[in-house]
PDB file of all heavy atoms in Angstrom:
ATOM      1  N   VAL A 923      -2.356  43.319 -23.449  1.00 98.00           N
ATOM      2  CA  VAL A 923      -3.356  44.366 -23.285  1.00 98.00           C
ATOM      3  C   VAL A 923      -4.429  44.156 -24.349  1.00 98.00           C
ATOM      4  O   VAL A 923      -4.120  43.805 -25.491  1.00 98.00           O
ATOM      5  CB  VAL A 923      -2.743  45.785 -23.382  1.00 98.00           C
ATOM      6  CG1 VAL A 923      -2.101  46.000 -24.751  1.00 98.00           C
ATOM      7  CG2 VAL A 923      -3.792  46.854 -23.122  1.00 98.00           C
ATOM      8  N   ALA A 924      -5.688  44.313 -23.962  1.00 98.00           N
ATOM      9  CA  ALA A 924      -6.794  44.121 -24.897  1.00 98.00           C
ATOM     10  C   ALA A 924      -7.964  44.987 -24.461  1.00 98.00           C
ATOM     11  O   ALA A 924      -8.076  45.360 -23.290  1.00 98.00           O
ATOM     12  CB  ALA A 924      -7.212  42.654 -24.948  1.00 98.00           C
ATOM     13  N   MET A 925      -8.839  45.294 -25.414  1.00 98.00           N
ATOM     14  CA  MET A 925     -10.042  46.055 -25.122  1.00 98.00           C
ATOM     15  C   MET A 925     -11.244  45.368 -25.755  1.00 98.00           C
ATOM     16  O   MET A 925     -11.115  44.723 -26.799  1.00 98.00           O
ATOM     17  CB  MET A 925      -9.934  47.499 -25.629  1.00 98.00           C
ATOM     18  CG  MET A 925      -8.877  48.330 -24.946  1.00 98.00           C
ATOM     19  SD  MET A 925      -8.803  50.058 -25.539  1.00 98.00           S
ATOM     20  CE  MET A 925     -10.292  50.744 -24.773  1.00 98.00           C
ATOM     21  N   ASP A 926     -12.398  45.519 -25.120  1.00 97.00           N
ATOM     22  CA  ASP A 926     -13.649  44.955 -25.634  1.00 97.00           C
ATOM     23  C   ASP A 926     -14.653  46.074 -25.839  1.00 97.00           C
ATOM     24  O   ASP A 926     -14.839  46.925 -24.964  1.00 97.00           O
ATOM     25  CB  ASP A 926     -14.238  43.939 -24.653  1.00 97.00           C
ATOM     26  CG  ASP A 926     -13.385  42.691 -24.542  1.00 97.00           C
ATOM     27  OD1 ASP A 926     -12.791  42.305 -25.561  1.00 97.00           O
ATOM     28  OD2 ASP A 926     -13.321  42.115 -23.443  1.00 97.00           O
ATOM     29  N   MET A 927     -15.317  46.056 -26.993  1.00 97.00           N
ATOM     30  CA  MET A 927     -16.356  47.022 -27.312  1.00 97.00           C
ATOM     31  C   MET A 927     -17.714  46.388 -27.066  1.00 97.00           C
ATOM     32  O   MET A 927     -18.051  45.367 -27.670  1.00 97.00           O
ATOM     33  CB  MET A 927     -16.229  47.439 -28.785  1.00 97.00           C
ATOM     34  CG  MET A 927     -17.276  48.433 -29.244  1.00 97.00           C
ATOM     35  SD  MET A 927     -17.125  50.032 -28.428  1.00 97.00           S
ATOM     36  CE  MET A 927     -18.701  50.759 -28.881  1.00 97.00           C
ATOM     37  N   PRO A 928     -18.538  46.949 -26.165  1.00 97.00           N
ATOM     38  CA  PRO A 928     -19.831  46.323 -25.864  1.00 97.00           C
ATOM     39  C   PRO A 928     -20.823  46.482 -26.999  1.00 97.00           C
ATOM     40  O   PRO A 928     -20.813  47.480 -27.723  1.00 97.00           O
ATOM     41  CB  PRO A 928     -20.300  47.092 -24.619  1.00 97.00           C
ATOM     42  CG  PRO A 928     -19.663  48.438 -24.754  1.00 97.00           C
ATOM     43  CD  PRO A 928     -18.332  48.187 -25.397  1.00 97.00           C
ATOM     44  N   GLU A 929     -21.689  45.479 -27.148  1.00 98.00           N
ATOM     45  CA  GLU A 929     -22.765  45.531 -28.141  1.00 98.00           C
ATOM     46  C   GLU A 929     -24.085  45.251 -27.430  1.00 98.00           C
ATOM     47  O   GLU A 929     -24.791  44.284 -27.729  1.00 98.00           O
ATOM     48  CB  GLU A 929     -22.508  44.547 -29.270  1.00 98.00           C
ATOM     49  CG  GLU A 929     -21.277  44.899 -30.101  1.00 98.00           C
ATOM     50  CD  GLU A 929     -21.170  44.090 -31.375  1.00 98.00           C
ATOM     51  OE1 GLU A 929     -21.781  42.998 -31.463  1.00 98.00           O
ATOM     52  OE2 GLU A 929     -20.464  44.544 -32.289  1.00 98.00           O
ATOM     53  N   PHE A 930     -24.402  46.119 -26.474  1.00 97.00           N
ATOM     54  CA  PHE A 930     -25.593  45.960 -25.655  1.00 97.00           C
ATOM     55  C   PHE A 930     -26.689  46.919 -26.128  1.00 97.00           C
ATOM     56  O   PHE A 930     -26.443  47.832 -26.901  1.00 97.00           O
ATOM     57  CB  PHE A 930     -25.290  46.243 -24.187  1.00 97.00           C
ATOM     58  CG  PHE A 930     -24.153  45.439 -23.618  1.00 97.00           C
ATOM     59  CD1 PHE A 930     -23.449  45.908 -22.523  1.00 97.00           C
ATOM     60  CD2 PHE A 930     -23.788  44.222 -24.162  1.00 97.00           C
ATOM     61  CE1 PHE A 930     -22.413  45.180 -21.980  1.00 97.00           C
ATOM     62  CE2 PHE A 930     -22.743  43.483 -23.637  1.00 97.00           C
ATOM     63  CZ  PHE A 930     -22.047  43.965 -22.533  1.00 97.00           C
ATOM     64  N   ARG A 931     -27.895  46.717 -25.600  1.00 96.00           N
ATOM     65  CA  ARG A 931     -28.991  47.609 -25.949  1.00 96.00           C
ATOM     66  C   ARG A 931     -28.757  49.013 -25.389  1.00 96.00           C
ATOM     67  O   ARG A 931     -28.978  50.020 -26.051  1.00 96.00           O
ATOM     68  CB  ARG A 931     -30.313  47.072 -25.411  1.00 96.00           C
ATOM     69  CG  ARG A 931     -31.521  47.784 -26.004  1.00 96.00           C
ATOM     70  CD  ARG A 931     -32.803  47.174 -25.514  1.00 96.00           C
ATOM     71  NE  ARG A 931     -33.237  47.773 -24.262  1.00 96.00           N
ATOM     72  CZ  ARG A 931     -34.240  47.318 -23.525  1.00 96.00           C
ATOM     73  NH1 ARG A 931     -34.869  46.223 -23.894  1.00 96.00           N
ATOM     74  NH2 ARG A 931     -34.601  47.919 -22.421  1.00 96.00           N
ATOM     75  N   ASP A 932     -28.303  49.074 -24.134  1.00 96.00           N
ATOM     76  CA  ASP A 932     -27.990  50.346 -23.506  1.00 96.00           C
ATOM     77  C   ASP A 932     -26.479  50.491 -23.407  1.00 96.00           C
ATOM     78  O   ASP A 932     -25.727  49.631 -23.872  1.00 96.00           O
ATOM     79  CB  ASP A 932     -28.641  50.436 -22.128  1.00 96.00           C
ATOM     80  CG  ASP A 932     -30.168  50.391 -22.208  1.00 96.00           C
ATOM     81  OD1 ASP A 932     -30.710  50.792 -23.257  1.00 96.00           O
ATOM     82  OD2 ASP A 932     -30.804  49.937 -21.231  1.00 96.00           O
ATOM     83  N   ALA A 933     -26.049  51.560 -22.777  1.00 95.00           N
ATOM     84  CA  ALA A 933     -24.611  51.837 -22.703  1.00 95.00           C
ATOM     85  C   ALA A 933     -23.908  50.801 -21.828  1.00 95.00           C
ATOM     86  O   ALA A 933     -24.108  50.760 -20.612  1.00 95.00           O
ATOM     87  CB  ALA A 933     -24.384  53.243 -22.149  1.00 95.00           C
ATOM     88  N   GLY A 934     -23.091  49.974 -22.459  1.00 95.00           N
ATOM     89  CA  GLY A 934     -22.275  49.015 -21.727  1.00 95.00           C
ATOM     90  C   GLY A 934     -20.907  49.593 -21.460  1.00 95.00           C
ATOM     91  O   GLY A 934     -20.619  50.757 -21.754  1.00 95.00           O
ATOM     92  N   LEU A 935     -20.034  48.777 -20.889  1.00 97.00           N
ATOM     93  CA  LEU A 935     -18.693  49.231 -20.547  1.00 97.00           C
ATOM     94  C   LEU A 935     -17.700  48.867 -21.634  1.00 97.00           C
ATOM     95  O   LEU A 935     -17.631  47.715 -22.074  1.00 97.00           O
ATOM     96  CB  LEU A 935     -18.225  48.599 -19.235  1.00 97.00           C
ATOM     97  CG  LEU A 935     -18.937  49.011 -17.950  1.00 97.00           C
ATOM     98  CD1 LEU A 935     -18.271  48.323 -16.764  1.00 97.00           C
ATOM     99  CD2 LEU A 935     -18.925  50.515 -17.760  1.00 97.00           C
ATOM    100  N   VAL A 936     -16.932  49.867 -22.065  1.00 98.00           N
ATOM    101  CA  VAL A 936     -15.734  49.587 -22.856  1.00 98.00           C
ATOM    102  C   VAL A 936     -14.678  49.135 -21.855  1.00 98.00           C
ATOM    103  O   VAL A 936     -14.282  49.887 -20.970  1.00 98.00           O
ATOM    104  CB  VAL A 936     -15.252  50.836 -23.613  1.00 98.00           C
ATOM    105  CG1 VAL A 936     -13.980  50.510 -24.394  1.00 98.00           C
ATOM    106  CG2 VAL A 936     -16.335  51.348 -24.544  1.00 98.00           C
ATOM    107  N   GLU A 937     -14.236  47.892 -21.973  1.00 98.00           N
ATOM    108  CA  GLU A 937     -13.309  47.320 -20.996  1.00 98.00           C
ATOM    109  C   GLU A 937     -11.889  47.256 -21.555  1.00 98.00           C
ATOM    110  O   GLU A 937     -11.692  46.956 -22.730  1.00 98.00           O
ATOM    111  CB  GLU A 937     -13.751  45.918 -20.593  1.00 98.00           C
ATOM    112  CG  GLU A 937     -15.086  45.859 -19.883  1.00 98.00           C
ATOM    113  CD  GLU A 937     -15.450  44.450 -19.482  1.00 98.00           C
ATOM    114  OE1 GLU A 937     -14.586  43.742 -18.927  1.00 98.00           O
ATOM    115  OE2 GLU A 937     -16.609  44.042 -19.738  1.00 98.00           O
ATOM    116  N   LEU A 938     -10.937  47.516 -20.691  1.00 98.00           N
ATOM    117  CA  LEU A 938      -9.519  47.345 -21.020  1.00 98.00           C
ATOM    118  C   LEU A 938      -8.912  46.413 -19.992  1.00 98.00           C
ATOM    119  O   LEU A 938      -9.043  46.636 -18.787  1.00 98.00           O
ATOM    120  CB  LEU A 938      -8.792  48.691 -21.018  1.00 98.00           C
ATOM    121  CG  LEU A 938      -7.313  48.659 -21.433  1.00 98.00           C
ATOM    122  CD1 LEU A 938      -6.907  49.984 -22.062  1.00 98.00           C
ATOM    123  CD2 LEU A 938      -6.373  48.356 -20.255  1.00 98.00           C
ATOM    124  N   ARG A 939      -8.252  45.359 -20.453  1.00 98.00           N
ATOM    125  CA  ARG A 939      -7.597  44.378 -19.584  1.00 98.00           C
ATOM    126  C   ARG A 939      -6.093  44.390 -19.854  1.00 98.00           C
ATOM    127  O   ARG A 939      -5.683  44.359 -21.023  1.00 98.00           O
ATOM    128  CB  ARG A 939      -8.133  42.972 -19.840  1.00 98.00           C
ATOM    129  CG  ARG A 939      -9.612  42.831 -19.652  1.00 98.00           C
ATOM    130  CD  ARG A 939     -10.078  41.400 -19.907  1.00 98.00           C
ATOM    131  NE  ARG A 939      -9.633  40.895 -21.204  1.00 98.00           N
ATOM    132  CZ  ARG A 939     -10.231  41.182 -22.348  1.00 98.00           C
ATOM    133  NH1 ARG A 939     -11.279  41.983 -22.368  1.00 98.00           N
ATOM    134  NH2 ARG A 939      -9.785  40.681 -23.477  1.00 98.00           N
ATOM    135  N   ALA A 940      -5.329  44.429 -18.798  1.00 98.00           N
ATOM    136  CA  ALA A 940      -3.872  44.395 -18.953  1.00 98.00           C
ATOM    137  C   ALA A 940      -3.265  43.519 -17.871  1.00 98.00           C
ATOM    138  O   ALA A 940      -3.649  43.610 -16.692  1.00 98.00           O
ATOM    139  CB  ALA A 940      -3.291  45.800 -18.881  1.00 98.00           C
ATOM    140  N   SER A 941      -2.335  42.672 -18.264  1.00 98.00           N
ATOM    141  CA  SER A 941      -1.565  41.863 -17.317  1.00 98.00           C
ATOM    142  C   SER A 941      -0.175  42.470 -17.206  1.00 98.00           C
ATOM    143  O   SER A 941       0.555  42.569 -18.204  1.00 98.00           O
ATOM    144  CB  SER A 941      -1.470  40.411 -17.793  1.00 98.00           C
ATOM    145  OG  SER A 941      -2.756  39.810 -17.815  1.00 98.00           O
ATOM    146  N   LEU A 942       0.187  42.899 -16.006  1.00 98.00           N
ATOM    147  CA  LEU A 942       1.477  43.544 -15.785  1.00 98.00           C
ATOM    148  C   LEU A 942       2.595  42.519 -15.728  1.00 98.00           C
ATOM    149  O   LEU A 942       2.385  41.366 -15.339  1.00 98.00           O
ATOM    150  CB  LEU A 942       1.443  44.359 -14.497  1.00 98.00           C
ATOM    151  CG  LEU A 942       0.816  45.768 -14.532  1.00 98.00           C
ATOM    152  CD1 LEU A 942       1.684  46.705 -15.354  1.00 98.00           C
ATOM    153  CD2 LEU A 942      -0.606  45.760 -15.039  1.00 98.00           C
ATOM    154  N   MET A 943       3.790  42.961 -16.113  1.00 98.00           N
ATOM    155  CA  MET A 943       4.975  42.127 -15.933  1.00 98.00           C
ATOM    156  C   MET A 943       5.328  42.062 -14.446  1.00 98.00           C
ATOM    157  O   MET A 943       4.970  42.952 -13.668  1.00 98.00           O
ATOM    158  CB  MET A 943       6.149  42.715 -16.723  1.00 98.00           C
ATOM    159  CG  MET A 943       5.897  42.805 -18.228  1.00 98.00           C
ATOM    160  SD  MET A 943       5.839  41.189 -19.037  1.00 98.00           S
ATOM    161  CE  MET A 943       7.590  40.748 -19.004  1.00 98.00           C
ATOM    162  N   ARG A 944       6.030  41.025 -14.055  1.00 96.00           N
ATOM    163  CA  ARG A 944       6.447  40.900 -12.658  1.00 96.00           C
ATOM    164  C   ARG A 944       7.243  42.133 -12.227  1.00 96.00           C
ATOM    165  O   ARG A 944       8.131  42.597 -12.944  1.00 96.00           O
ATOM    166  CB  ARG A 944       7.322  39.657 -12.460  1.00 96.00           C
ATOM    167  CG  ARG A 944       6.554  38.347 -12.456  1.00 96.00           C
ATOM    168  CD  ARG A 944       7.524  37.181 -12.294  1.00 96.00           C
ATOM    169  NE  ARG A 944       6.854  35.900 -12.294  1.00 96.00           N
ATOM    170  CZ  ARG A 944       6.465  35.243 -11.209  1.00 96.00           C
ATOM    171  NH1 ARG A 944       6.681  35.774 -10.009  1.00 96.00           N
ATOM    172  NH2 ARG A 944       5.871  34.068 -11.295  1.00 96.00           N
ATOM    173  N   GLY A 945       6.888  42.653 -11.076  1.00 95.00           N
ATOM    174  CA  GLY A 945       7.597  43.806 -10.535  1.00 95.00           C
ATOM    175  C   GLY A 945       7.037  45.145 -10.984  1.00 95.00           C
ATOM    176  O   GLY A 945       7.396  46.182 -10.429  1.00 95.00           O
ATOM    177  N   GLN A 946       6.158  45.146 -11.974  1.00 97.00           N
ATOM    178  CA  GLN A 946       5.560  46.386 -12.454  1.00 97.00           C
ATOM    179  C   GLN A 946       4.219  46.612 -11.754  1.00 97.00           C
ATOM    180  O   GLN A 946       3.524  45.661 -11.389  1.00 97.00           O
ATOM    181  CB  GLN A 946       5.357  46.353 -13.969  1.00 97.00           C
ATOM    182  CG  GLN A 946       6.625  46.162 -14.770  1.00 97.00           C
ATOM    183  CD  GLN A 946       7.515  47.395 -14.750  1.00 97.00           C
ATOM    184  OE1 GLN A 946       7.164  48.437 -14.198  1.00 97.00           O
ATOM    185  NE2 GLN A 946       8.702  47.268 -15.343  1.00 97.00           N
ATOM    186  N   ARG A 947       3.849  47.866 -11.603  1.00 97.00           N
ATOM    187  CA  ARG A 947       2.618  48.215 -10.904  1.00 97.00           C
ATOM    188  C   ARG A 947       1.545  48.695 -11.891  1.00 97.00           C
ATOM    189  O   ARG A 947       1.840  49.320 -12.911  1.00 97.00           O
ATOM    190  CB  ARG A 947       2.879  49.314  -9.880  1.00 97.00           C
ATOM    191  CG  ARG A 947       3.868  48.911  -8.776  1.00 97.00           C
ATOM    192  CD  ARG A 947       3.314  47.779  -7.912  1.00 97.00           C
ATOM    193  NE  ARG A 947       4.239  47.399  -6.861  1.00 97.00           N
ATOM    194  CZ  ARG A 947       4.172  47.864  -5.602  1.00 97.00           C
ATOM    195  NH1 ARG A 947       3.242  48.742  -5.278  1.00 97.00           N
ATOM    196  NH2 ARG A 947       5.038  47.461  -4.698  1.00 97.00           N
ATOM    197  N   ALA A 948       0.302  48.410 -11.545  1.00 98.00           N
ATOM    198  CA  ALA A 948      -0.813  48.817 -12.388  1.00 98.00           C
ATOM    199  C   ALA A 948      -0.841  50.329 -12.576  1.00 98.00           C
ATOM    200  O   ALA A 948      -1.238  50.824 -13.636  1.00 98.00           O
ATOM    201  CB  ALA A 948      -2.129  48.328 -11.781  1.00 98.00           C
ATOM    202  N   ALA A 949      -0.427  51.076 -11.569  1.00 98.00           N
ATOM    203  CA  ALA A 949      -0.454  52.536 -11.661  1.00 98.00           C
ATOM    204  C   ALA A 949       0.399  53.045 -12.815  1.00 98.00           C
ATOM    205  O   ALA A 949       0.048  54.034 -13.469  1.00 98.00           O
ATOM    206  CB  ALA A 949       0.018  53.152 -10.345  1.00 98.00           C
ATOM    207  N   ALA A 950       1.519  52.369 -13.088  1.00 98.00           N
ATOM    208  CA  ALA A 950       2.374  52.796 -14.196  1.00 98.00           C
ATOM    209  C   ALA A 950       1.674  52.582 -15.536  1.00 98.00           C
ATOM    210  O   ALA A 950       1.750  53.425 -16.441  1.00 98.00           O
ATOM    211  CB  ALA A 950       3.693  52.025 -14.157  1.00 98.00           C
ATOM    212  N   ALA A 951       0.969  51.479 -15.673  1.00 98.00           N
ATOM    213  CA  ALA A 951       0.212  51.233 -16.908  1.00 98.00           C
ATOM    214  C   ALA A 951      -0.925  52.232 -17.040  1.00 98.00           C
ATOM    215  O   ALA A 951      -1.189  52.749 -18.129  1.00 98.00           O
ATOM    216  CB  ALA A 951      -0.321  49.806 -16.912  1.00 98.00           C
ATOM    217  N   GLU A 952      -1.603  52.511 -15.939  1.00 98.00           N
ATOM    218  CA  GLU A 952      -2.690  53.501 -15.976  1.00 98.00           C
ATOM    219  C   GLU A 952      -2.196  54.852 -16.476  1.00 98.00           C
ATOM    220  O   GLU A 952      -2.880  55.546 -17.235  1.00 98.00           O
ATOM    221  CB  GLU A 952      -3.288  53.671 -14.583  1.00 98.00           C
ATOM    222  CG  GLU A 952      -4.275  52.609 -14.171  1.00 98.00           C
ATOM    223  CD  GLU A 952      -5.011  53.036 -12.923  1.00 98.00           C
ATOM    224  OE1 GLU A 952      -5.729  54.061 -12.961  1.00 98.00           O
ATOM    225  OE2 GLU A 952      -4.848  52.348 -11.886  1.00 98.00           O
ATOM    226  N   GLU A 953      -1.002  55.235 -16.055  1.00 98.00           N
ATOM    227  CA  GLU A 953      -0.451  56.527 -16.463  1.00 98.00           C
ATOM    228  C   GLU A 953      -0.230  56.564 -17.975  1.00 98.00           C
ATOM    229  O   GLU A 953      -0.552  57.559 -18.639  1.00 98.00           O
ATOM    230  CB  GLU A 953       0.862  56.784 -15.722  1.00 98.00           C
ATOM    231  CG  GLU A 953       1.482  58.133 -16.031  1.00 98.00           C
ATOM    232  CD  GLU A 953       2.757  58.373 -15.224  1.00 98.00           C
ATOM    233  OE1 GLU A 953       3.089  57.540 -14.360  1.00 98.00           O
ATOM    234  OE2 GLU A 953       3.418  59.392 -15.496  1.00 98.00           O
ATOM    235  N   VAL A 954       0.310  55.485 -18.531  1.00 98.00           N
ATOM    236  CA  VAL A 954       0.530  55.424 -19.975  1.00 98.00           C
ATOM    237  C   VAL A 954      -0.803  55.448 -20.713  1.00 98.00           C
ATOM    238  O   VAL A 954      -0.964  56.152 -21.720  1.00 98.00           O
ATOM    239  CB  VAL A 954       1.332  54.159 -20.338  1.00 98.00           C
ATOM    240  CG1 VAL A 954       1.419  53.994 -21.859  1.00 98.00           C
ATOM    241  CG2 VAL A 954       2.729  54.222 -19.735  1.00 98.00           C
ATOM    242  N   ILE A 955      -1.770  54.669 -20.232  1.00 98.00           N
ATOM    243  CA  ILE A 955      -3.089  54.607 -20.880  1.00 98.00           C
ATOM    244  C   ILE A 955      -3.753  55.984 -20.866  1.00 98.00           C
ATOM    245  O   ILE A 955      -4.268  56.446 -21.895  1.00 98.00           O
ATOM    246  CB  ILE A 955      -3.973  53.570 -20.164  1.00 98.00           C
ATOM    247  CG1 ILE A 955      -3.411  52.165 -20.397  1.00 98.00           C
ATOM    248  CG2 ILE A 955      -5.416  53.659 -20.653  1.00 98.00           C
ATOM    249  CD1 ILE A 955      -3.969  51.118 -19.447  1.00 98.00           C
ATOM    250  N   ALA A 956      -3.709  56.660 -19.721  1.00 98.00           N
ATOM    251  CA  ALA A 956      -4.311  57.987 -19.623  1.00 98.00           C
ATOM    252  C   ALA A 956      -3.648  58.957 -20.593  1.00 98.00           C
ATOM    253  O   ALA A 956      -4.320  59.779 -21.231  1.00 98.00           O
ATOM    254  CB  ALA A 956      -4.212  58.500 -18.187  1.00 98.00           C
ATOM    255  N   GLY A 957      -2.323  58.865 -20.731  1.00 98.00           N
ATOM    256  CA  GLY A 957      -1.609  59.751 -21.650  1.00 98.00           C
ATOM    257  C   GLY A 957      -1.993  59.511 -23.090  1.00 98.00           C
ATOM    258  O   GLY A 957      -2.198  60.470 -23.865  1.00 98.00           O
ATOM    259  N   GLN A 958      -2.107  58.253 -23.476  1.00 98.00           N
ATOM    260  CA  GLN A 958      -2.484  57.935 -24.850  1.00 98.00           C
ATOM    261  C   GLN A 958      -3.922  58.361 -25.157  1.00 98.00           C
ATOM    262  O   GLN A 958      -4.220  58.858 -26.247  1.00 98.00           O
ATOM    263  CB  GLN A 958      -2.312  56.438 -25.102  1.00 98.00           C
ATOM    264  CG  GLN A 958      -0.862  55.986 -25.176  1.00 98.00           C
ATOM    265  CD  GLN A 958      -0.111  56.706 -26.288  1.00 98.00           C
ATOM    266  OE1 GLN A 958      -0.587  56.773 -27.426  1.00 98.00           O
ATOM    267  NE2 GLN A 958       1.057  57.245 -25.976  1.00 98.00           N
ATOM    268  N   LEU A 959      -4.822  58.170 -24.207  1.00 98.00           N
ATOM    269  CA  LEU A 959      -6.205  58.594 -24.408  1.00 98.00           C
ATOM    270  C   LEU A 959      -6.298  60.115 -24.527  1.00 98.00           C
ATOM    271  O   LEU A 959      -7.040  60.638 -25.372  1.00 98.00           O
ATOM    272  CB  LEU A 959      -7.081  58.106 -23.255  1.00 98.00           C
ATOM    273  CG  LEU A 959      -7.305  56.595 -23.171  1.00 98.00           C
ATOM    274  CD1 LEU A 959      -8.079  56.246 -21.906  1.00 98.00           C
ATOM    275  CD2 LEU A 959      -8.036  56.083 -24.400  1.00 98.00           C
ATOM    276  N   ALA A 960      -5.539  60.814 -23.693  1.00 98.00           N
ATOM    277  CA  ALA A 960      -5.558  62.279 -23.756  1.00 98.00           C
ATOM    278  C   ALA A 960      -5.030  62.773 -25.098  1.00 98.00           C
ATOM    279  O   ALA A 960      -5.605  63.688 -25.711  1.00 98.00           O
ATOM    280  CB  ALA A 960      -4.737  62.861 -22.606  1.00 98.00           C
ATOM    281  N   THR A 961      -3.953  62.163 -25.573  1.00 98.00           N
ATOM    282  CA  THR A 961      -3.390  62.567 -26.869  1.00 98.00           C
ATOM    283  C   THR A 961      -4.367  62.296 -28.005  1.00 98.00           C
ATOM    284  O   THR A 961      -4.590  63.149 -28.874  1.00 98.00           O
ATOM    285  CB  THR A 961      -2.073  61.816 -27.118  1.00 98.00           C
ATOM    286  OG1 THR A 961      -1.132  62.143 -26.084  1.00 98.00           O
ATOM    287  CG2 THR A 961      -1.480  62.192 -28.472  1.00 98.00           C
ATOM    288  N   LEU A 962      -4.958  61.114 -28.008  1.00 98.00           N
ATOM    289  CA  LEU A 962      -5.904  60.765 -29.066  1.00 98.00           C
ATOM    290  C   LEU A 962      -7.139  61.663 -29.006  1.00 98.00           C
ATOM    291  O   LEU A 962      -7.705  62.029 -30.045  1.00 98.00           O
ATOM    292  CB  LEU A 962      -6.304  59.296 -28.942  1.00 98.00           C
ATOM    293  CG  LEU A 962      -7.160  58.698 -30.062  1.00 98.00           C
ATOM    294  CD1 LEU A 962      -6.462  58.812 -31.411  1.00 98.00           C
ATOM    295  CD2 LEU A 962      -7.497  57.239 -29.758  1.00 98.00           C
ATOM    296  N   GLY A 963      -7.548  62.050 -27.811  1.00 98.00           N
ATOM    297  CA  GLY A 963      -8.714  62.907 -27.663  1.00 98.00           C
ATOM    298  C   GLY A 963      -8.474  64.343 -28.081  1.00 98.00           C
ATOM    299  O   GLY A 963      -9.432  65.107 -28.278  1.00 98.00           O
ATOM    300  N   VAL A 964      -7.215  64.731 -28.236  1.00 98.00           N
ATOM    301  CA  VAL A 964      -6.882  66.082 -28.700  1.00 98.00           C
ATOM    302  C   VAL A 964      -6.478  66.076 -30.170  1.00 98.00           C
ATOM    303  O   VAL A 964      -6.959  66.873 -30.979  1.00 98.00           O
ATOM    304  CB  VAL A 964      -5.750  66.692 -27.843  1.00 98.00           C
ATOM    305  CG1 VAL A 964      -5.268  68.008 -28.452  1.00 98.00           C
ATOM    306  CG2 VAL A 964      -6.221  66.901 -26.412  1.00 98.00           C
ATOM    307  N   GLU A 965      -5.597  65.150 -30.540  1.00 98.00           N
ATOM    308  CA  GLU A 965      -5.032  65.155 -31.882  1.00 98.00           C
ATOM    309  C   GLU A 965      -5.791  64.274 -32.873  1.00 98.00           C
ATOM    310  O   GLU A 965      -5.687  64.486 -34.090  1.00 98.00           O
ATOM    311  CB  GLU A 965      -3.572  64.681 -31.826  1.00 98.00           C
ATOM    312  CG  GLU A 965      -2.682  65.561 -30.950  1.00 98.00           C
ATOM    313  CD  GLU A 965      -1.275  65.012 -30.836  1.00 98.00           C
ATOM    314  OE1 GLU A 965      -1.024  63.902 -31.381  1.00 98.00           O
ATOM    315  OE2 GLU A 965      -0.439  65.663 -30.189  1.00 98.00           O
ATOM    316  N   GLY A 966      -6.529  63.302 -32.367  1.00 98.00           N
ATOM    317  CA  GLY A 966      -7.176  62.354 -33.258  1.00 98.00           C
ATOM    318  C   GLY A 966      -6.186  61.353 -33.828  1.00 98.00           C
ATOM    319  O   GLY A 966      -4.971  61.435 -33.580  1.00 98.00           O
ATOM    320  N   PRO A 967      -6.644  60.391 -34.602  1.00 98.00           N
ATOM    321  CA  PRO A 967      -5.755  59.365 -35.165  1.00 98.00           C
ATOM    322  C   PRO A 967      -5.058  59.848 -36.427  1.00 98.00           C
ATOM    323  O   PRO A 967      -5.502  60.793 -37.088  1.00 98.00           O
ATOM    324  CB  PRO A 967      -6.721  58.228 -35.492  1.00 98.00           C
ATOM    325  CG  PRO A 967      -7.988  58.938 -35.849  1.00 98.00           C
ATOM    326  CD  PRO A 967      -8.059  60.143 -34.939  1.00 98.00           C
TER     327      PRO A 967
END
C-alpha cells in the first residue's frame, strides 16, 4: 500500500495504491481505509 502527494499548481489527486492478496477483494481494503480515515479525521494523530 502506498500514497502519493501531488505537487501541482492546482488541486491534484492524492492517490492511494494497494495490491490485494490472492482471494481478497478490494472492497475489504476500502472498508479498512475508510475506517482509518474517519478515525484520523476525528481524533487526529
